[in-house]
Amino acid sequence: MARDVRQVVAGLLTGSMLMMLCNMVKRDHFDPLVVENLSVQYDVIKVSKQSLIKLSDTSRGSLLMENHSLKPCWRKPLTINEEQSKGYIFFTLTESFEDHVSQIADAVVVARYLGATLVLPEIRGTKTGHKRQFGDIYDIKRFMTSLDGIVQIVRDPPTESSKVNITNIKVPSMVTKDFIASKIQPIFKAKRNLFLSTEFQSSNLAKAKEIDQNIKMDPFACLAIFGSLELQQELNQLVSTMVGTLRSLSYKTNGQFVAVDLKVEALGSMCKGNVIKTKQCYNAKEIGEFLKKIGFQRHTTIYLTQNGWHSSIDALREIFPNTFTKDAIIPAYEKAKYQITKSPEFEKVIDFQICTQADVFVPTISNLFYTNVVAKRIASGKTEVLVPTQKVSTSSVAMEYVSPYISKKSHWAYSCLC
């Protein structure tokens, strides 16, 4: 009989604990910064395009945009380029992941029109003298297969080509066939082996817009950008896991989340001297107020590209409590494996990919990261890119803040995709 009483008491206690746990879930009594052990079930989430903004409030507007994945405007040549290589093109990728799109496109275009062999690049590390292999970040097989018949690619050139007669040459970002013919080809004929360095466009917003509107992409550059670059398998899986965690945290918005490119250090160095009427940078508090103004709900999940936490981000988290950085959502074993805190190049890969896959992307600075994230989003049909207005505005209609890259179709990606 005593045993029966103990069993009854144990049953009551267990029931009470379950009720308390349910109440905690209902009241959101989970610290939004501790999510490592969260069970990821994003594959069963059905995403609704109307869940991030209160559509019942017609003054707030909505992001009811027609999103369709675009198809390539280019076609791979039917005739395969089997000419004997006339020389080699060398280049090194920078430590900034967003630069790679331009660098690889330029190298492929130059090698194609010169009839040269492209040497697989190394990736410069953030520390002097430190380098990574191309395969540490990218899928080498995919890269070489996708460009088969377009350019010859080798992992390592013949020894004699790697030691002598290599000429350094600078090329403008998005280099053209005419520039190659007039400026590069004469040097290549004389030297045969070139080391390319890409000169990037101005990060100034006005100049960047003017340049982007005038760019008509070379079809081989389009292929390099949208048809050849994929992350290596393990890194791609890590990004997928982190995106899945963000979607699981966004259970109140049907799995949708917002990615904001906000790095406190970058804001400090790039935004000094801006006048409010021509404002091009926005801090955490301003971003929070902006998202709230156009109707994003308090329980919206927000991903920040900031490395670690900074006290200035507290202002954003007061408005949107479910605000995270990568440190909070990356699995501990993966963080140790990739040495995330010691390897900024991997941090940039993760940021770029999450901003590309987020349901909504909000840039705080007009820079190459913003431009190239938008390129990838255009290709996948994720055109919800919101830019805080550069002019003083009281409008609370979300559609009025859609990036001009999208609303005016002024991005160079539209010359690649149909």
Side-chain angles (χ1 to χ4, degrees):
M1 185 68 179
R3 179 178 298 175
D4 292 339
V5 172
R6 286 197 298 268
Q7 290 176 344
V8 171
V9 172
L12 290 172
L13 289 174
T14 301
S16 299
M17 290 175 67
L18 286 173
M19 292 179 65
M20 289 173 64
L21 181 59
C22 290
N23 288 331
M24 288 175 69
V25 172
K26 290 180 180 179
R27 296 173 186 173
D28 300 332
H29 283 183
F30 286 104
D31 186 346
L33 291 181
V34 183
V35 295
E36 279 187 4
N37 295 322
L38 183 69
S39 176
V40 178
Q41 296 180 341
Y42 57 92
D43 56 322
V44 298
I45 293 177
K46 295 181 179 180
V47 177
S48 165
K49 291 187 178 297
Q50 303 182 12
S51 57
L52 283 175
I53 293 180
K54 298 177 181 177
L55 298 182
S56 59
D57 185 350
T58 55
S59 67
R60 296 296 177 95
S62 65
L63 290 178
L64 296 177
M65 301 180 68
E66 290 293 328
N67 285 346
H68 302 289
S69 297
L70 301 181
K71 296 181 179 180
C73 296
W74 75 89
R75 288 186 180 180
K76 208 170 180 180
L78 296 177
T79 57
I80 296 176
N81 182 14
E82 295 182 341
E83 293 183 9
Q84 184 71 27
S85 175
K86 300 173 183 177
Y88 292 89
I89 298 298
F90 299 82
F91 68 112
T92 298
L93 298 175
T94 72
E95 69 276 11
S96 297
F97 185 76
E98 63 270 22
D99 294 348
H100 296 180
V101 166
S102 301
Q103 291 182 289
I104 291 172
D106 292 337
V108 168
V109 170
V110 170
R112 168 69 186 188
Y113 289 124
L114 294 180
T117 295
L118 190 65
V119 180
L120 212 60
E122 293 180 317
I123 303 172
R124 188 187 309 152
T126 52
K127 296 180 181 179
T128 304
H130 183 254
K131 292 183 179 181
R132 292 189 182 278
Q133 298 302 307
F134 188 77
D136 290 343
I137 290 179
Y138 295 104
D139 184 331
I140 294 178
K141 183 178 179 180
R142 165 68 179 174
F143 181 71
M144 297 182 73
T145 301
S146 64
L147 295 172
D148 185 35
I150 304 298
V151 292
Q152 296 181 51
I153 302 174
V154 296
R155 295 172 185 257
D156 299 296
T159 306
E160 60 271 17
S161 298
S162 61
K163 291 184 178 180
V164 297
N165 202 30
I166 297 179
T167 302
N168 294 328
I169 187 167
K170 292 182 178 181
V171 298
S173 178
M174 309 304 180
V175 65
T176 64
K177 184 178 180 180
D178 290 341
F179 184 93
I180 294 170
S182 61
K183 302 293 184 181
I184 303 178
Q185 193 165 32
I187 301 174
F188 181 71
K189 284 182 177 180
K191 301 296 184 180
R192 296 298 177 187
N193 299 309
L194 302 181
F195 187 95
L196 301 185
S197 298
T198 296
E199 292 185 307
F200 292 101
Q201 299 169 0
S202 170
S203 60
N204 177 274
L205 182 62
K207 290 183 179 179
K209 282 184 179 179
E210 182 180 348
I211 292 170
D212 283 335
Q213 288 175 344
N214 294 328
I215 285 180
K216 297 298 180 184
M217 294 291 288
D218 185 281
F220 297 114
C222 293
L223 173 60
I225 293 170
F226 296 108
S228 70
L229 291 177
E230 290 183 3
L231 296 183
Q232 53 97 338
Q233 186 176 2
E234 291 183 356
L235 194 54
N236 186 55
Q237 183 58 49
L238 170 59
V239 172
S240 297
T241 298
M242 294 176 71
V243 169
T245 298
L246 288 166
R247 295 206 183 285
S248 293
L249 289 165
S250 309
Y251 60 91
K252 286 189 176 182
T253 54
N254 291 333
Q256 292 184 310
F257 70 94
V258 178
V260 179
D261 178 29
L262 189 154
K263 286 187 169 72
V264 175
E265 299 80 6
L267 291 174
S269 61
M270 296 181 66
C271 303
K272 293 179 180 178
N274 280 336
V275 180
I276 186 67
K277 292 184 179 179
T278 58
K279 190 173 180 64
Q280 296 177 13
C281 303
Y282 300 86
N283 61 35
K285 183 178 180 181
E286 291 169 327
I287 290 297
E289 292 172 345
F290 165 68
L291 292 175
K292 181 180 179 181
K293 179 178 72 173
I294 61 176
F296 282 84
Q297 302 177 62
R298 179 175 171 80
H299 51 249
T300 298
T301 297
I302 296 178
Y303 173 82
L304 298 181
T305 57
Q306 169 68 23
N307 300 327
W309 197 259
H310 190 279
S311 59
S312 64
I313 303 175
D314 291 341
L316 172 59
R317 197 179 180 209
E318 287 177 5
I319 303 173
F320 296 99
N322 293 336
T323 296
F324 306 95
T325 64
K326 67 184 71 62
D327 300 85
I329 62 172
I330 186 170
Y333 65 93
E334 296 283 12
K335 187 174 183 178
K337 176 180 176 181
Y338 288 100
Q339 296 183 316
I340 294 299
T341 56
K342 298 179 181 179
S343 304
E345 54 267 36
F346 283 125
E347 291 182 331
K348 293 175 182 179
V349 173
I350 291 169
D351 289 336
F352 189 94
Q353 295 296 325
I354 291 181
C355 287
T356 297
Q357 297 180 42
D359 299 280
V360 179
F361 172 56
V362 179
T364 58
I365 301 176
S366 177
N367 55 13
L368 194 60
F369 184 95
Y370 162 41
T371 300
N372 288 343
V373 164
V374 172
K376 295 292 187 177
R377 292 182 67 89
I378 290 171
S380 62
K382 290 182 175 292
T383 51
E384 287 91 348
V385 180
L386 301 180
V387 181
T389 182
Q390 295 173 45
K391 299 179 181 179
V392 177
S393 174
T394 58
S395 175
S396 58
V397 180
M399 288 295 292
E400 293 188 10
Y401 298 93
V402 172
S403 168
Y405 276 146
I406 306 296
S407 61
K408 297 180 180 180
K409 293 193 173 181
S410 62
H411 199 286
W412 51 256
Y414 285 108
S415 67
C416 286
L417 304 160
C418 302

